[in-house]
Amino acid sequence: MKRIALGAGLALLLGLILGGAIHIAAILALPRLATDTPGAQLAPYLSAGRFTALPAVTGDGDAPRFLDPAMRYAVCPFDVGERAGRFLADLDADYWSVSFHSEQGWTFYTINNRATGDEEIEVLLVPEGGVAALQRALPDGGEGRLIVEAPSERGFVMIRALVSGPSFLPLVETGLAAAECGPIS
Amino acid sequence: MPFILLVVSVIVIGLGSGIGSAYWVIRDGALFNTMRIGPWTAYPDASGIEADPYTRAHQINRRMLPVTGFDSIDFETKTDSQGAALDGRCHYRLTGPMPPARFWTLAVTRPDGRPIANPAGRHAFASPELLRAEDGRAEIVLSSSARPGNWLPIAPGPLALVLTLYDTTIGSGVGDDMVLLPDIRREGCP
């Protein structure tokens, strides 16, 4: 009788220890195994060297699912493996921002129009630890320019802009189409 | 107790408790980094590259990971303030305080994040479009038939509402317990 109780207790203890390990492994593995990430949903719109506007959210529902219907978006891939990236946008909208994401879609940097006093936003993107090297390479030492370190070589940049009413839409679309994306020259 | 029985029970208990607890945590929302105000739920900085593993797994599982930046936060609800599931056949009135943010938008979707087809082609409401009552209060009506004032069309079926705040410090942890969000009241069903 005593031996059975002891055995059951041991089984429970070892089982829960194993359960803890499985729990942790499952939680850590899920994001790595996931295929339906925002980055994957955006893949059809990522073409190198230019910003591509995402379709507006409509009832037909082709647009990626996490978008705010009141905003318009444009995306551009980056690869800072060989050369630093440069991104420039100047929109006419009440609120707009430029954000930087890993390939899966995790955000590592965001700046919005209030931070620059509604002027244009220019961001230079370098790999981790690459700020000093870029500053040396720039003619003016990179004085006053915004340099951001990317935690991964590849990923994408997203511009989003609030459409404050139907009459604001053309201005927003023009601004998104004029945004620049590519390696630094 | 035979050894084989011990091994089998350890494996069964291990798989059951491990997968069960992981599923529970991921489905019901992260245990960490969750903000609940009335019926509204948000996951501050959940799309950040430094989000904790639980938040990350939960966000991936939602399949609508918000590619928001660090200056915005989205609150979602599938129920009204009384806790009843949002039903597209009914109409609802949103009233009350909008939290401090430079701008906000209110979007209506199906619970899985899909937009709802409607003849007006309208899926969201942005704060600059808001018409305020004489006493300064903001009210938005959700209804499948057109309404005067601030109207957001819905259609029969289950719904979710997403209130996104742009350029806000809400979610940073400072003063988050003081935040008030609008009340959602059901005003009638056919």
Side-chain angles (χ1 to χ4, degrees), chain A residues 107-122:
Chain A
T107 313
F108 62 85
Y109 185 77
T110 305
I111 183 169
N112 68 39
N113 61 323
R114 193 176 51 150
T116 59
D118 236 350
E119 298 292 312
E120 65 174 28
I121 294 177
E122 187 199 39

Side-chain angles (χ1 to χ4, degrees), chain B residues 101-153:
Chain B
R102 232 170 104 219
F103 298 99
W104 54 260
T105 65
L106 178 73
V108 57
T109 66
R110 293 299 179 201
D112 63 0
R114 279 179 301 125
I116 298 171
N118 67 83
R122 196 168 172 81
H123 307 279
F125 204 93
S127 54
E129 299 177 278
L130 191 78
L131 306 167
R132 283 183 188 277
E134 276 179 11
D135 59 2
R137 273 184 318 149
E139 281 196 348
I140 300 173
V141 176
L142 309 178
S143 166
S144 55
S145 54
R147 296 301 174 99
N150 303 310
W151 168 60
L152 197 52

Side-chain angles (χ1 to χ4, degrees), chain A residues 44-68:
Chain A
Y45 308 102
L46 293 173
S47 50
R50 65 187 179 91
F51 276 101
T52 305
L54 299 184
V57 174
T58 64
D60 309 329
D62 273 346
R65 264 173 296 178
F66 49 82
L67 304 180
D68 182 341

Side-chain angles (χ1 to χ4, degrees), chain A residues 24 36 87 103 129 136 142 152 156:
Chain A
I24 292 168
D36 193 16
F87 311 92
E103 269 183 306
R136 279 195 301 274
S152 57
F156 62 92

